[in-house]
Amino acid sequence: MLSLYSGAGGLDRGFMDVGFQVSYAVEANQSAVDTYTANLGNHVVLGDLPGALKKLPRPGKLSPDVIIGGPPCQGFSVIGLMDPQDPRSQHIHAFMDAVRAFQPVAFCMENVKALATSARWKPVYHGLIARAVRLGYNVESAVLNAGDYTVPQARERMFLIGVRDGYPLFPARVTAARPLTVLEALQRLPTFGEVGNDSNCAARVVLAKKPVMRASPYKGSLLFNGSGRPLELDAVARTLPASMGGNGTPIVDCEELAVRLAQPDALITPWVFRHHTRLAAGKPNLKRPHPLRRITVEEAAALQSFPEGWVWKGSRNAQFRQIGNAVPPRLARYVALSVGHALQGRQALVEDLPPASLPPRRISTSPRSIAPRRRRARAA
């Protein structure tokens, strides 16, 4: 298998978990290459596509059955400029150039949701599919939410799969009704500050002078400096951005987390909830110091479903950026299973697969002292 735009190895790890073997990987960022090598092997090379395509072993010497990759998505993302002329947007075509050159039996491309759903990118999206069909592939695409596949994060990404002699079908949502929560993900890590959870973010949490108020302190409100929002322990995390490392890093309530880790069903009103309630009532900020901090590299990696002990290379900001850019390995695992089923000629959805070694979920039977959360129904 050939991996392009490999990053820190999240997509590759998911495919490798179900039996695929990566013989060659290409990544343009040195820190990501170092991280990939430390965890998955030295079959990754530093190279910037599309130029690196000319340096790859020619077809015959390198004959991958499958090509996977997540071309840069910033040009398509709704949080960017969505500029059709953004050079980064051309990498999806470089990926398809590799498919044309090596003629694998299947390919899998990952990118942001907007590429498949935004009217702005409709010609580009349909052009990709048309090109794959001309190359002889049966093509399907879907926008998958990582929270539906054992990842404690509401991260939506597009996957475009092409198969020569089969029909790709995407996996059924295995944790749609029972998403893994932030608390359950962080329960697996050492205590904050101990080895294995000590790669701190230096950015401070400062109260906003002019807070933006919404109904919830976790969704829509801007109560602190920067774009990093507080994590709700009993829910999935918001999408982790590549801008983590500074004020865009999510925030956790140390006091609430410590109590809940020791006693998951404990009654506690988070500081951020009390702060939001006071602001909504027109009262001044709480005088006592707020027990808030930015999450660590290891906590961010856990929310992306990377295995505990994954080695991160580069500067602290580079490590956060690698995590924010990554495909969650557990989500990649289910996509890989779908590709494998298609290659085997199996025409069934992946419905009978157990979650990837998840611990039993601890469900509270006690009433919380905080207001009940409203859950939006997910589209079927």
Side-chain angles (χ1 to χ4, degrees):
M1 187 170 74
L2 170 63
S3 170
L4 304 175
Y5 306 100
S6 306
L11 184 61
D12 294 37
R13 174 58 190 257
F15 272 77
M16 295 167 76
D17 278 348
V18 301
F20 286 90
Q21 294 184 342
V22 182
S23 58
Y24 210 83
V26 182
E27 167 54 38
N29 180 270
Q30 183 64 65
S31 295
V33 167
D34 294 341
T35 295
Y36 189 110
T37 301
N39 295 282
L40 298 179
N42 58 6
H43 54 268
V44 61
V45 297
L46 180 69
D48 191 10
L49 296 167
L53 283 179
K54 299 178 181 179
K55 300 179 182 179
L56 291 176
R58 303 315 303 161
K61 294 185 178 180
L62 176 63
S63 301
D65 291 331
V66 180
I67 296 179
I68 64 173
C73 61
Q74 294 91 337
F76 302 113
S77 175
V78 295
I79 64 174
L81 297 177
M82 298 189 78
D83 179 6
Q85 304 305 316
D86 191 321
R88 294 171 296 186
S89 301
Q90 305 309 308
H91 287 282
I92 57 172
H93 304 299
F95 180 94
M96 293 306 299
D97 288 343
V99 172
R100 180 186 61 186
F102 290 98
Q103 296 289 305
V105 294
F107 70 84
C108 176
M109 177 197 293
E110 177 268 350
N111 214 276
V112 291
K113 173 184 176 180
L115 179 56
T117 61
S118 171
R120 179 185 290 266
W121 303 121
K122 188 174 182 179
V124 176
Y125 172 69
H126 288 295
L128 276 177
I129 294 177
R131 186 180 183 190
V133 171
R134 290 196 302 270
L135 291 174
Y137 293 91
N138 299 312
V139 183
E140 291 289 345
S141 72
V143 174
L144 304 182
N145 189 323
D148 295 336
Y149 299 96
T150 73
V151 180
Q153 186 185 164
R155 185 185 191 90
E156 293 183 301
R157 286 296 183 270
M158 181 212 75
F159 290 87
L160 182 70
I161 297 177
V163 181
R164 284 197 177 278
D165 300 314
Y167 295 91
L169 293 171
F170 284 90
R173 300 181 300 165
V174 295
T175 51
R178 180 201 176 281
L180 192 69
T181 67
V182 170
L183 180 63
E184 290 172 315
L186 301 187
Q187 280 176 331
R188 306 177 199 175
L189 295 176
T191 301
F192 170 69
E194 294 183 354
V195 175
N197 190 19
D198 56 351
S199 300
N200 301 343
C201 174
R204 297 173 56 224
V205 180
V206 179
L207 298 179
K209 294 181 179 179
K210 296 181 179 180
V212 176
M213 298 295 294
R214 297 291 185 267
S216 166
Y218 303 104
K219 299 175 183 177
S221 296
L222 285 169
L223 306 179
F224 310 100
N225 59 317
S227 59
R229 309 292 178 86
L231 291 170
E232 187 175 8
L233 296 186
D234 289 320
V236 294
R238 296 161 55 92
T239 300
L240 298 185
S243 59
M244 290 187 299
N247 292 338
T249 311
I251 297 165
V252 68
D253 185 321
C254 306
E255 181 181 73
E256 179 194 18
L257 180 60
V259 171
R260 295 292 303 285
L261 287 176
Q263 188 178 352
D265 294 334
L267 296 174
I268 181 171
T269 303
W271 187 95
V272 68
F273 189 90
R274 300 199 303 273
H275 177 60
H276 179 268
T277 301
R278 289 179 65 88
L279 291 180
K283 298 179 181 180
N285 292 334
L286 293 172
K287 292 184 178 181
R288 58 163 290 191
H290 53 80
L292 306 178
R293 62 170 175 83
R294 309 284 177 176
I295 62 174
T296 65
V297 167
E298 292 84 1
E299 289 167 335
L303 296 176
Q304 276 280 53
S305 78
F306 277 93
E308 185 179 346
W310 196 268
V311 178
W312 298 98
K313 297 293 187 177
S315 68
R316 192 59 47 82
N317 282 356
Q319 294 172 13
F320 274 113
R321 184 166 56 251
Q322 291 170 53
I323 295 169
N325 280 327
V327 178
R330 286 205 208 108
L331 172 59
R333 175 181 182 266
Y334 285 97
V335 174
L337 285 167
S338 290
V339 174
H341 281 200
L343 293 178
Q344 297 167 17
R346 296 179 61 175
Q347 300 300 308
L349 293 177
V350 187
E351 295 177 327
D352 56 348
L353 298 168
S357 303
L358 297 181
R361 186 183 184 195
R362 303 182 186 183
I363 302 176
S364 173
T365 57
S366 304
R368 298 280 182 203
S369 61
I370 61 176
R373 300 183 306 278
R374 294 181 179 178
R375 294 188 180 273
R376 291 188 301 176
R378 298 188 186 184

